[in-house]
Amino acid sequence: MDGHGVVEVALGGSHANGHRESLQDFIRAELAGGRGKTVLLATQDMDEAERMCDDLALLHRGRLLYLGTLAGLLELGRRELGEGSGLGDIFVELVRRVDAARGGGAA
């Protein structure tokens, strides 16, 4: 992949598992060697984001909850929630806090 590009692929459902793994392999190969490439990955799968991303933006109801490094967010989450906390746990806690601050319930 030369230059810049955005690829959008719908990978929902169990039939997409093989395609998801192939796409992840392709992304890893493109980014190998630090060739200055950026891939924009939009996913609701926190495990996938944790495996694939160095930097990330977390959105909830169209609002930015976090923008920064994965490592920084995981460190913050582990300090706040404990050592076993993953990206999914941290996202749920961020949503809970934002909703509570706005006087709304959990989504």
Side-chain angles (χ1 to χ4, degrees):
M1 190 163 53
D2 293 331
H4 303 283
V6 175
V7 178
E8 180 180 357
V9 180
L11 293 175
S14 60
H15 65 282
N17 286 340
H19 298 292
R20 179 183 309 267
E21 290 170 7
S22 295
L23 181 60
Q24 289 174 353
D25 290 343
F26 171 76
I27 291 169
R28 284 188 192 98
E30 282 296 315
L31 296 178
R35 293 179 268 183
K37 296 184 180 178
T38 299
V39 174
L40 176 62
L41 173 68
T43 184
Q44 294 179 5
D45 183 334
M46 295 295 124
D47 292 332
E48 179 177 51
E50 199 163 347
R51 282 190 310 273
M52 299 295 298
C53 299
D54 295 322
D55 299 295
L56 56 98
L58 294 179
L59 303 171
H60 173 61
R61 296 183 178 168
R63 294 186 184 235
L64 185 64
L65 297 179
Y66 177 83
L67 177 64
T69 66
L70 173 62
L73 182 59
L74 290 174
E75 176 60 30
L76 176 66
R78 288 175 181 146
R79 278 193 313 243
E80 296 277 327
L81 302 175
E83 277 303 310
S85 301
L87 187 56
D89 303 314
I90 296 165
F91 177 75
V92 168
E93 180 61 17
L94 285 171
V95 167
R96 187 195 67 74
R97 290 180 183 188
V98 167
D99 284 348
R102 292 190 180 130

